[in-house]
Amino acid sequence: MVVLAKSVRMILDERDRKILALLQADAGVPVAEIAERVSLSLSACARRIQRLEESGHIIRRVAVLDRDKIGVPTTVFALIKTAHHSDEWIELFRKAISGIAEIVEAHRLTGNYDYILKIVLPRVEHYDVIYKEIVRKVELFDVSASISMEVLKSGSALPVDYAR
């Protein structure tokens, strides 16, 4: 895993974008294979990958796990309304959810709801455990949960065409 705080400014070309796309598809692909696919020497490709890490374009490399085999096939989306909008409440809420491994994403929203949580669970009944853990730590106005019936599209790969 690579995590770098220092950000170096660099301009990306088509080869850099292709390297980023290849690494997003499979971060474990050997550098030699990437080099061949982008028509670079092994050392030139390795230097480009290192520059992409140093510039912050690559934040870290991770393994994507099979949710069924890991035992969390169920997804619940919790939509949350709160009567509190202070910086202190937001920080309390952030701390309350940050320690709950089943909450894999949390977003602050515009519109009718204030937050949405993506929660992965072994079964839908486990949602009540997570709900109770949250409300013990922070006051909420309203929570509405929806169970995902089918995944139509999933992934973490970003479009690289916009990268500068």
Side-chain angles (χ1 to χ4, degrees), residues 23 74 100 127 151:
L23 286 172
T74 304
I100 302 172
Y127 170 70
V151 177

Side-chain angles (χ1 to χ4, degrees), residues 6-155:
K6 183 181 174 186
S7 181
V8 177
R9 188 158 180 90
M10 69 182 271
I11 298 174
L12 301 184
D13 63 16
E14 277 308 307
R15 283 186 173 146
D16 293 322
R17 288 183 190 85
K18 186 149 187 178
I19 289 169
L20 290 171
L22 291 167
L23 286 172
Q24 280 192 111
D26 182 0
V29 67
V31 177
E33 185 178 326
I34 296 171
E36 182 178 319
R37 292 181 67 184
V38 299
S39 302
L40 285 173
S41 69
L42 179 63
S43 59
C45 186
R47 282 193 303 273
R48 280 185 185 241
I49 293 170
Q50 183 177 0
R51 280 195 354 246
L52 290 165
E53 291 170 345
E54 290 171 352
S55 68
H57 287 87
I58 298 172
I59 298 170
R60 68 182 184 271
R61 300 185 202 190
V62 299
V64 179
L65 307 179
D66 182 302
R67 288 185 43 194
D68 287 328
K69 290 181 180 175
I70 297 300
V72 287
T74 304
T75 303
V76 172
F77 292 95
L79 290 159
I80 296 172
K81 288 183 183 180
T82 180
H84 307 282
H85 299 280
S86 69
D87 290 342
E88 295 81 16
W89 187 91
I90 293 170
E91 188 56 32
L92 181 66
F93 180 64
R94 185 185 320 270
K95 286 179 183 175
I97 64 173
S98 68
I100 302 172
E102 292 86 351
I103 300 173
V104 295
E105 288 187 33
H107 301 266
R108 190 164 59 92
L109 305 173
T110 62
N112 294 329
Y113 289 92
D114 297 306
Y115 299 91
I116 187 169
L117 306 178
K118 180 179 179 182
I119 306 168
V120 297
L121 302 165
R123 60 191 178 287
V124 72
E125 295 82 7
H126 192 74
Y127 170 70
D128 191 48
V129 173
I130 303 304
Y131 170 82
K132 287 176 181 175
E133 188 172 346
I134 296 169
V135 297
R136 272 195 297 272
K137 297 176 181 177
V138 65
E139 181 184 347
L140 304 175
F141 178 74
D142 182 44
V143 179
S144 175
S146 295
I147 302 163
S148 173
M149 299 297 292
E150 177 183 10
V151 177
L152 301 176
K153 182 179 179 184
S154 178

